[in-house]
Amino acid sequence: MTETYPPRRSPARIAVIVIAVVVLVIGVCLAIGGGVLLLVFGSGGSLKSGEHDVTTPTAAIVTDTAQITDTGRLTRALGSPSVSVHATGGNSSGLFIGIGPAADVDRYLTGVAIEQARNFNLDPFALDAVRRDGTALAFPPATQPFWVASGATDVTWQITDGDYRAVVMNADGTPGVDSRLSVNLNLPGLFGYALGFLIGGLVLVVAAIVALAMGRPRSRAPEPTTPTPPPQY
């Protein structure tokens, strides 16, 4: 019966195993991150809220102030980011969707009863709004010159630096808004990054597994020994 000894791990082999484990962890994280981005944004790089009912007895639904900075850096990395809004509903005058500088929107709606969104999420869709009472009547929103993007049913805005609010109103500015809308955040260059993360992560995982398999120590056979001669008398 051949006796075997426990495998011997050299310092170099231990270093290979440690590096392979680190690479494996990084690869798994990259692959999971890329997969999640592809699942959420899809091949078009768009995060979609789906259609949801948004109503208020007041004159407008107004988002909280979005403070946007460094869009130039984001554009260089992911392409020109944009927000698309599609809405249906409104009263007999129709519906109005508008995005404008926060200060101008605030002046326009001074003293007007509105619902102001404190929290707004796309996925999953959530709109947490608080009512602000008022007695003033709003002028028809389309008569205001400050909107950076506006329309009746479909609005797309190329995101730029600044402080902005979005509103949904009846086209004549009267209270009682009943609408159904969807919002998309578009990052056209995200698909390439997500796919790169996924593929790169999988490559690192495979490479780490191969390195671990090759670095696995083998059992070693006993070293030959020289027989001890019998004692002589």
Side-chain angles (χ1 to χ4, degrees), residues 18 22 26 37 55 83-84 92 106-107 117 168-169 173 189 192 208 215 223-224:
V18 171
V22 173
I26 294 174
L37 288 175
T55 62
V83 174
S84 300
S92 58
D106 290 342
R107 280 193 294 269
V168 178
M169 305 175 64
E223 298 178 358

Side-chain angles (χ1 to χ4, degrees), residues 146-233:
F146 55 78
W147 305 110
V148 295
S150 62
T153 57
D154 292 282
V155 172
T156 298
W157 174 51
Q158 301 295 324
I159 299 174
T160 57
D161 290 354
D163 296 343
Y164 297 94
R165 291 186 190 271
V167 304
V168 178
M169 305 175 64
N170 290 322
D172 59 6
T174 57
V177 181
D178 186 359
S179 66
R180 185 170 180 82
L181 62 84
S182 62
V183 182
N184 298 341
L185 172 63
N186 307 304
L187 300 171
L190 185 63
F191 174 72
Y193 282 90
L195 188 61
F197 289 157
L198 178 60
I199 294 175
L202 292 176
V203 169
L204 290 179
V205 168
V206 172
I209 292 174
V210 171
L212 288 172
M214 294 180 65
R216 182 181 179 184
R218 296 183 176 86
S219 298
R220 56 190 178 92
E223 298 178 358
T225 58
T226 303
T228 304
Q232 295 181 356
Y233 300 96

Side-chain angles (χ1 to χ4, degrees), residues 47 49 52 117-128 183:
L47 178 60
S49 70
H52 297 274
R118 294 180 298 183
N119 293 300
F120 177 70
N121 295 318
L122 289 181
D123 188 18
F125 181 85
L127 180 64
D128 179 19
V183 182

